[in-house]
C-alpha cells in the first residue's frame, strides 16, 4: 500500500488523470494500491447523479464532471481529500460493503477527536448531530455533514474516495446543494470547536485504515 501526502493545492483535472492512470496500473498488476491525501483549490464537482438545479452559483468556482457516484460536492483548502485506490478483486467484489467501510473509516477517525460521526439512511456520507444549534422546524435535532463519500469502480479497482472537512470556508458550500440535500447543513472539525490540524487528521486516517480494510489477499 502506498500512502502519499501531496503538497499544496492539487489541480483537479491533472489529479483525476493521474488517479485514472494509477487505477489502470493497479488493475494490470503493475502498481500497488494507493491512498493519496491532498487538498484542491476551490471547485465544485458533479457526480453522475448531479442535477443542474443544485448548482446554484455556477460562475463562482470551476465545475468539473467527476465521473464518480453522487451529486454536487465542494472541494477546497482546509478539506482533506483521500483518494482511495483499492483492488476489490482482492478485497471482495461488494460495492455496498466497500462504501460502508469508507464510512467506518471516517467514523473511527473522527472518534479519535471525540466526535461521534453517524450514518443516515438514504444519505451517503458521515453526519454529526448539532444540539448546540437551533432545532429544525419540526423540532428534531439539527444534523450537519462533516464528510462526503463518492466512489467509482473500474474493473473492480476503486477510485475517488472521501473528503473530510477540517477547516474549509463553509460559506463556499452555498454555491451548490451539497449532495442534493437541502434540509441539512455542513460542518467541520474546527467549526465544532476542535483545534485539529490537517496533519492530525492524516495520522488518524492512517492509524484507522487497517482496522477497517484489513489485509489484502495475494495476487
Amino acid at each position: 500500500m502506498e500512502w502519499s501526502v501531496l503538497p499544496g493545492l492539487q489541480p483537479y483535472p491533472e489529479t483525476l488523470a493521474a488517479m485514472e492512470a494509477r487505477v489502470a496500473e493497479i488493475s494490470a498488476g503493475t502498481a500497488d494500491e494507493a491512498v493519496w491525501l491532498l487538498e484542491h483549490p476551490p471547485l465544485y464537482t458533479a457526480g453522475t447523479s448531479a442535477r443542474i438545479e443544485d448548482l446554484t452559483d455556477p460562475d463562482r468556482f470551476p465545475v468539473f464532471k467527476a465521473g464518480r457516484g453522487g451529486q454536487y460536492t465542494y472541494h477546497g483548502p482546509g478539506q482533506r481529500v483521500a483518494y482511495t485506490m483499492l483492488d476489490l478483486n482482492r478485497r471482495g467484489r461488494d460495492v455496498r460493503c466497500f462504501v460502508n467501510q469508507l464510512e467506518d473509516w471516517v467514523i473511527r477517525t473522527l472518534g479519535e477527536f471525540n466526535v461521534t460521526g453517524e450514518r443516515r439512511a438514504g444519505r451517503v456520507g458521515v453526519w454529526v448531530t448539532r444540539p448546540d444549534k437551533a432545532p429544525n422546524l419540526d423540532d428534531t435535532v439539527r444534523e450537519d455533514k462533516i464528510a462526503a463519500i463518492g466512489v467509482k469502480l473500474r474493473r473492480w479497482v476503486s477510485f475517488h474516495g472521501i473528503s473530510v472537512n477540517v477547516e474549509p470556508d463553509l460559506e463556499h458550500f452555498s454555491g451548490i446543494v451539497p449532495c442534493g440535500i437541502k434540509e441539512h447543513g455542513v460542518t467541520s472539525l474546527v467549526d465544532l470547536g476542535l483545534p485539529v490540524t490537517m496533519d492530525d487528521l492524516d495520522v488518524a486516517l492512517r492509524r484507522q485504515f487497517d482496522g477497517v480494510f484489513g489485509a489484502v489477499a495475494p495476487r
Side-chain angles (χ1 to χ4, degrees), residues 189-211:
L189 288 165
V190 171
D191 183 53
L192 293 174
L194 301 170
V196 178
T197 68
M198 201 68 73
D199 289 343
D200 295 333
L201 183 70
D202 290 348
V203 169
L205 284 168
R206 187 159 189 176
R207 185 158 46 217
Q208 293 298 328
F209 184 87
D210 287 343

Side-chain angles (χ1 to χ4, degrees), residues 25-208:
E25 292 171 352
I26 294 170
S27 181
T30 58
D32 292 330
E33 297 178 311
V35 176
W36 294 348
L37 303 175
L38 56 97
E39 295 172 81
H40 285 303
L43 57 91
Y44 298 128
T45 65
T48 54
S49 301
R51 299 173 298 191
I52 191 61
E53 62 268 24
D54 288 341
L55 182 61
T56 58
D57 192 354
D59 298 323
R60 186 169 191 183
F61 297 128
V63 181
F64 298 97
K65 290 185 178 180
R68 54 158 175 79
Q71 302 186 37
Y72 282 105
T73 298
Y74 167 76
H75 293 314
Q79 181 192 73
R80 175 53 88 210
V81 174
Y83 287 135
T84 307
M85 291 156 275
L86 302 181
D87 187 354
L88 300 193
N89 292 292
R90 302 161 64 198
R91 294 178 174 273
R93 295 182 175 186
D94 189 327
V95 178
R96 187 182 299 274
C97 176
F98 178 57
V99 172
N100 284 340
Q101 286 176 315
L102 291 172
E103 291 174 336
D104 281 343
W105 184 28
V106 174
I107 288 169
R108 292 190 187 199
T109 298
L110 295 175
E112 292 207 13
F113 307 105
N114 296 315
V115 173
T116 301
E118 301 177 353
R119 292 183 176 89
R120 288 294 179 265
R123 293 191 248 143
V124 176
V126 177
W127 302 78
V128 295
T129 58
R130 301 301 304 270
D132 55 312
K133 293 193 173 184
N136 296 316
L137 294 177
D138 60 0
D139 286 331
T140 56
V141 176
R142 178 173 168 178
E143 298 174 347
D144 287 343
K145 192 170 193 175
I146 194 166
I149 294 172
V151 299
K152 183 176 181 178
L153 301 178
R154 183 171 294 160
R155 296 183 178 177
W156 289 101
V157 178
S158 70
F159 55 120
H160 298 282
I162 67 172
S163 58
V164 181
N165 296 332
V166 179
E167 193 180 7
D169 186 338
L170 296 179
E171 201 277 329
H172 287 180
F173 285 86
S174 66
I176 57 173
V177 178
C179 301
I181 299 170
K182 299 178 180 179
E183 298 80 9
H184 303 282
V186 291
T187 189
S188 68
L189 288 165
V190 171
D191 183 53
L192 293 174
L194 301 170
V196 178
T197 68
M198 201 68 73
D199 289 343
D200 295 333
L201 183 70
D202 290 348
V203 169
L205 284 168
R206 187 159 189 176
R207 185 158 46 217
Q208 293 298 328

